[in-house]
Amino acid sequence: MASLEIEKDFATVVESQGVRWKNEGVDSKSPSQARLFYQLAKKQYEKVLGDAFTISDSYKKAEADRWKTESSTWDLLERLYALRLNKSSDVDDSFMCDDSNDMDSERMVPERSASVTTTDFTRAQELMATNSLLSEYVEVRRWLEENAPEFHAVETRKGYLFYTRKSIRDRERERAVMGGKTSESVDTTSSRMVTEADPDSTSRQRRELAYEDAEYETSLVRTLYEYVRRGRAGHAIDLCVESDEPWRAASLKGGLLWRDPKLESESEMAVDGDDKHLDVRPTYPAGNINRSLWKQACAALAQDENNDLYERALYAALSGRLDEVVLVCESWEDHLWAYVNTMVESQIDQGIKDSSLLYTPAPNTSLEHVRSKYPPIRDIKQVFDSLNTHESDKLRVQASSPFRQLQAAIIEDVLPEYLDEYARKLRSQQLSEDESDILRVVVHSALYVRRIGFALPTDAVDIIIEDYISRLALNDRELVALYVSYLQADKQTETYAQFLHKLSDPIPIRVHMLKLGTAHGLDTDTISRRTTELCLTISGSDSPQSVDSSFALVEPSEPITDREHQQIRSIEWITSSPQLYKHALVEVCRLARKYLLLGRTNAATQLLNSLPDDFVQQDWLRNVYSPADSPAHQSDPEVSSYVYEYIHLLSLCDAYAQYTSWAEMLYKRPVDTGKTGARLQMQWLEWKNQITALTERSVTMFRDKLLEVDWLSTQSLCINAGNARSGSWYDEDMSKRLGELACLREIYVPETAFRLHSILFETRDAVPQNLKRSLDLAQLVADESLGIYKLMAKQSPSAPQGRLASFMDLMQQSAFEILRVEQESQENMPPLLDN
């Protein structure tokens, strides 16, 4: 359920932002899509985290971690692409080297500042403004700091080394009481504990602090490191002051860049977004002009193995040294921060060093021996390669997680390559389950980045979106149209049609799905046509069977098959819009012909009855019923031919349905039991009236609307193959259509004549004149202009000898019945007609 909700929430953002983007553009002050996605993921994280009853469960914890990681991914995406968007429009990096793959490239270090009055702080600002990679690395460091997990800070404790100083005083007091002597136990303790309570006593005397103080100092330096790891150096300084260790606060403040308010403009801001009180423009010169010397001292402290591990890591981080920081790193994010921090500090230091500044720092050659065992890192790709091949199995597993792979691609600015690879795996079904789980994130990352103007591989993005659409089709179909609209135009029709043809919902829901497509800018008319084509192709109706010996004529009242039901419903897609009625007319006629060729009058009848009430358009009828030589008739002859065909097919289905009703009434004829009476007479008269009415209606339909109109002949349909316009909506293989029409005439014209004879002959008792009318059918069949006798004489697989002989038998039957009736009216029965 949570998955469905988040998919809807993301779709709402995409849709609303799409509308807002069209109205306001890229400069809109509204939150970006990435920021809104971040808020949605963070909300899910807080929701899972707030479940106090189940948060201890491993599944819930993993779920919370997943949402936390996703939210941080959206945060990273927004940060970096906002920078890249600004840089691409505002900054001219022409002075930078273009070869970013060269490890010795000058791209990382801009040209030297021309102003000798530039301070360290201002120079760092210039570096940030002119070096796009450096500004991105600073932003990545800030992202890693702000998204670091929470930790428990040590409590503030007043009184520096309280227990150590108390122990020293106690020993001095005891020694004074004992005349300069101490007990054996005191001597043992004294040999291990410092005798002076100053910050350097442990390193100078190589002794220990009191146990309680040692524990607190260990917790304190770890807390200080964790603060620095999270970009909260100000908190670290405050903690030192509040814990009565101002000297340590001073040691941390040595990293502040030197600045002079007289040389800085008011618009200059902080270099790295540290705590505000560190970045407020001072009223007097501040910071450390000898910052490089301070860094060397920090590096020396970090290298001293006698110091606490976290104290070494603390000063290593402050100095931009990597060696000791990685010793306390536990996660992929910790390691990445350590590397990026080193890159940022080294590049800023180099940029300041290369500048011609008014004030120069003191030389620090005496500390040049403090070297790092790690080679200088100037390319972020080096960092990720190192993490991916790290000796720690745990770190390699973390580095290979899908979210971190995506984050690495965003940071390296290789999102196009990442999408290409993701699409390749998706297409070849090589995605792991974890990679598949981030599909939603990948899709919306691509949509966001492409929307703000960055080029992405179109085919790869389409593959990823299409797979996401297939998942939405299973869970929330109303979102499909939105994402289809983000595909290439030539893929939108096929993708949405593939989705629609699988729907089996009632018409209102189908129409609703088409309206959603229209709302999102899809060509729903073309989609509807393609959907019908897919439905008919899959159901097999595009390969009609020829009439053979297995042909059996089915009455219209019999039920249709499931496949026929699907085929008939497929026509609903092209009858959902009046603009498609002309196309639907062609498809309806084609499908009805195929049904009738198979003897499925029931399917053809249901097909024609399923059409909308307004299907037959008035302009069609004007073309049909206008004089043949009038302009209206000649304006669209192909439409007219299909309208005629539609009318003929509908007339056949109506007539055969009427025949079924007539046959049912015929079977209800009262049985003559030999008894006479008023009741039997009433039943007979009632039935006679009903059968007479049905008979007259049936005769009219069979004779006037089928046989006498030269049913489905090319002349009656006004078909002129030479007038067909190639490539238009009605363009069809004319020879195939003519062949099907001819075959239908061979089947149904004789069948209609036979049924009409049955109607007339079987009602001769109720309507005596019908007997002679049944014999008069011979004249209709023999009419040269209609050519019915030719169709009866033609051989076919179902009638190897033709049907003319059978019709002549019926004529003979009618003739003999007439003679019999006449004989019964005579007193003396002629011997020839006896029995």
Side-chain angles (χ1 to χ4, degrees), residues 46-295:
E46 293 172 348
K47 181 179 179 181
V48 176
L49 198 64
D51 191 347
F53 296 101
T54 58
I55 194 59
S56 59
D57 180 70
S58 59
Y59 174 80
K60 281 291 184 179
K61 186 177 184 304
E63 185 181 4
D65 291 342
R66 189 233 179 257
W67 286 115
K68 173 66 174 176
T69 306
E70 179 178 338
S71 66
S72 66
T73 303
W74 290 120
D75 187 28
L76 173 67
L77 188 73
E78 184 197 25
R79 289 170 183 262
L80 291 188
Y81 276 94
L83 276 177
R84 291 163 186 168
L85 187 63
N86 292 333
K87 293 293 182 181
S88 64
S89 58
D90 298 335
V91 178
D92 181 7
D93 288 331
S94 59
F95 66 94
M96 310 292 275
C97 177
D98 292 331
D99 187 6
S100 60
N101 294 323
D102 186 357
M103 293 301 297
D104 297 325
S105 172
E106 293 297 326
R107 183 186 178 199
M108 306 297 292
V109 182
E111 62 181 9
R112 296 186 177 188
S113 174
S115 175
V116 296
T117 61
T118 301
T119 65
D120 290 356
F121 180 84
T122 305
R123 182 54 181 151
Q125 291 294 101
E126 291 176 354
L127 291 169
M128 291 284 295
T130 57
N131 189 330
S132 59
L133 282 182
L134 176 59
S135 63
E136 286 187 17
Y137 294 158
V138 170
E139 195 61 43
V140 170
R141 182 173 68 174
R142 183 182 293 119
W143 167 72
L144 288 165
E145 291 169 348
E146 294 178 4
N147 286 277
E150 294 295 330
F151 75 101
H152 296 291
V154 68
E155 294 182 0
T156 302
R157 193 179 75 176
K158 291 293 184 179
Y160 175 61
L161 301 183
F162 173 80
Y163 293 99
T164 300
R165 288 188 290 109
K166 180 177 182 300
S167 177
I168 293 173
R169 289 195 303 269
D170 290 344
R171 280 181 294 161
E172 291 177 349
R173 187 180 301 110
E174 182 178 356
R175 186 179 295 109
V177 170
M178 299 182 66
K181 298 181 180 180
T182 57
S183 64
E184 183 178 351
S185 60
V186 172
D187 287 338
T188 303
T189 304
S190 299
S191 63
R192 291 186 288 108
M193 187 174 295
V194 296
T195 60
E196 298 174 349
D198 60 85
D200 298 323
S201 60
T202 53
S203 58
R204 184 177 65 254
Q205 298 182 353
R206 301 298 180 185
R207 295 187 177 188
E208 302 175 355
L209 299 176
Y211 174 77
E212 295 84 355
D213 292 334
E215 269 200 338
Y216 181 77
E217 287 296 306
T218 299
S219 300
L220 176 66
V221 293
R222 175 160 187 171
T223 297
L224 296 178
Y225 168 78
E226 297 293 354
Y227 274 138
V228 171
R229 162 68 179 85
R230 287 156 180 77
R232 295 155 62 182
H235 287 70
I237 293 173
D238 291 342
L239 177 61
C240 293
V241 173
E242 293 169 2
S243 298
D244 289 340
E245 296 191 15
W247 60 270
R248 197 187 291 274
S251 72
L252 300 181
K253 274 193 173 183
L256 293 178
L257 290 166
W258 174 70
R259 58 194 305 184
D260 190 335
K262 296 178 181 179
L263 303 177
E264 297 176 5
S265 64
E266 295 183 1
S267 61
E268 289 170 344
M269 301 297 293
V271 63
D272 59 359
D274 206 345
D275 297 272
K276 290 184 178 180
H277 71 274
L278 294 177
D279 300 322
V280 173
R281 187 167 176 264
T283 57
Y284 49 85
N288 187 359
I289 197 172
N290 292 312
R291 187 168 182 265
S292 58
L293 179 61
W294 170 83
K295 281 198 169 188

Side-chain angles (χ1 to χ4, degrees), residues 17 107 122 131 152 170 194 207 220 293 361-362 414 441 456 488 541 593 654 658 663 711 721 732 773 787 810:
Q17 287 286 298
R107 183 186 178 199
T122 305
N131 189 330
H152 296 291
D170 290 344
V194 296
R207 295 187 177 188
L220 176 66
L293 179 61
V414 292
V441 180
L456 294 177
Q488 297 180 72
S541 65
R593 286 200 305 270
D654 288 345
Q658 179 68 24
W711 186 75
E732 183 185 13
R773 293 168 70 185
L810 294 179

